[in-house]
Amino acid sequence: MKFNFFHLMPYPDYDKLPHEWPVSTHDIDSRRIQALYKEYVDEMVDAENYGFDWVGCNEHHYSPYGLMANPNLIAGALARQTEKAKIAIVGNLLPLLNPIRVAEEYAMIDVMSGGRLIAGFLRGIPHEYIAYNIPPSESRSRLREATELIIKCWTEDEPFGWEGEHYQFPAVSIWPKPIQKPYPRILMSASNEESAEFVAKTRAIMGITLIQDLGAARKAIEHFRNVSRGYGWEPTPDDILVGQQICIADTDEEAKEQMASAQTYFHQTLMRPQRSAQQLVLQQSRYYTGTDVGENFQKRLATLRNRTVDEQIEAGSIICGSPESVAKQITRLNQELGCGLLNLTIKVGNMPGSVVRRGMELFRDRVAPHVAGL
């Protein structure tokens, strides 16, 4: 198996319960955030020396949920300061962005890193569309067209024009081209049937997070496998990524205590304004398609929020415990889901940096040796 040290870069000091989105920055000290950036980037740079194969980041806007409005800036720092780990941008929210700019910046990161980019092409959390004033109902068509355009940017040596539904460019010829040929591995979300169809067609890595239980995750992965066969290829474990929050401590009791505290902040503070904004999107757009799929998304979040740590472990929604317990939980995920990639969020909510660092040490010394060969 391969493991991604994934970082949301959350703001851990918000001392109120935000009820509205966007979230006010009143009384927020940017000098404090400067220190957080240093702490977080240091953790990500060090991750490759703690047994992690990838180092990952992503894009969010307008709230303390994540301080990474542009993950490509962080990836540029990682490209310079790391040597071996894949740099997994999980990912750029293509429907919100200029796809030519994404193609250029991703190519730069791939070249700067010597060909280590994992290129995330994501739709994003629904409320991001309000932040950038992009119609949520256009999210899927924008994602499809942007994907096609970026791949053409990476693979076409001669200048070309583009006249699409959403994007028009009279002349395109990006410099540089990526080192990886024909282009970097693409990672996309495939948590529902419509998304899985496009991911399979693109032959991208399938990503799935917010797992309600292993049965639902297994069903989604099997659907992706079946659709991929229809496009003439057979996904391997290295084509399936599963995302999990994780806490590793010296004992099960300590890990569960730390996870419970961190998830309280995550759900009550970081996720509260997101839920408010998501409800606006669900009510006023066609971001979700299919019968009640939007309502099902909200119910899935509520289910995860209301479970105890033990219930989440049993359901396969999180990884938490001593090194021995964590190794068993990872083995279970591998065996039941056939996934070869785990996207691990170690900084959950306001989890202390000392707990994050101790978890990294235990992963390197007492977890990775038992699970890397799965």
Side-chain angles (χ1 to χ4, degrees), residues 279-297:
Q279 193 60 40
L280 291 175
V281 175
L282 293 173
Q283 292 170 350
Q284 301 177 16
S285 79
R286 291 182 292 106
Y287 180 88
Y288 292 103
T289 58
T291 305
D292 295 328
V293 69
E295 292 184 9
N296 288 339
F297 176 75

Side-chain angles (χ1 to χ4, degrees), residues 135-147:
S137 301
E138 298 178 0
S139 62
R140 291 192 186 278
S141 59
R142 283 178 176 269
L143 177 63
R144 288 183 169 88
E145 184 178 341
T147 296

Side-chain angles (χ1 to χ4, degrees), residues 30-42:
S30 292
R31 289 293 183 183
R32 166 59 176 154
I33 295 178
Q34 178 189 20
L36 288 172
Y37 280 136
K38 184 180 188 308
E39 175 185 338
Y40 292 166
V41 172
D42 285 349

Side-chain angles (χ1 to χ4, degrees), residues 5-35:
F5 183 92
F6 178 72
H7 216 307
L8 280 171
M9 289 194 167
Y11 184 73
D13 304 329
Y14 203 81
D15 58 1
K16 300 178 283 291
L17 291 181
H19 293 284
E20 295 181 351
W21 183 96
V23 180
S24 169
T25 56
H26 185 68
D27 292 333
I28 300 302
D29 182 4
S30 292
R31 289 293 183 183
R32 166 59 176 154
I33 295 178
Q34 178 189 20

Side-chain angles (χ1 to χ4, degrees), residues 43-54:
E43 289 170 352
M44 297 172 78
V45 168
D46 291 344
E48 73 171 3
N49 296 321
Y50 282 85
F52 291 90
D53 307 280
W54 296 7

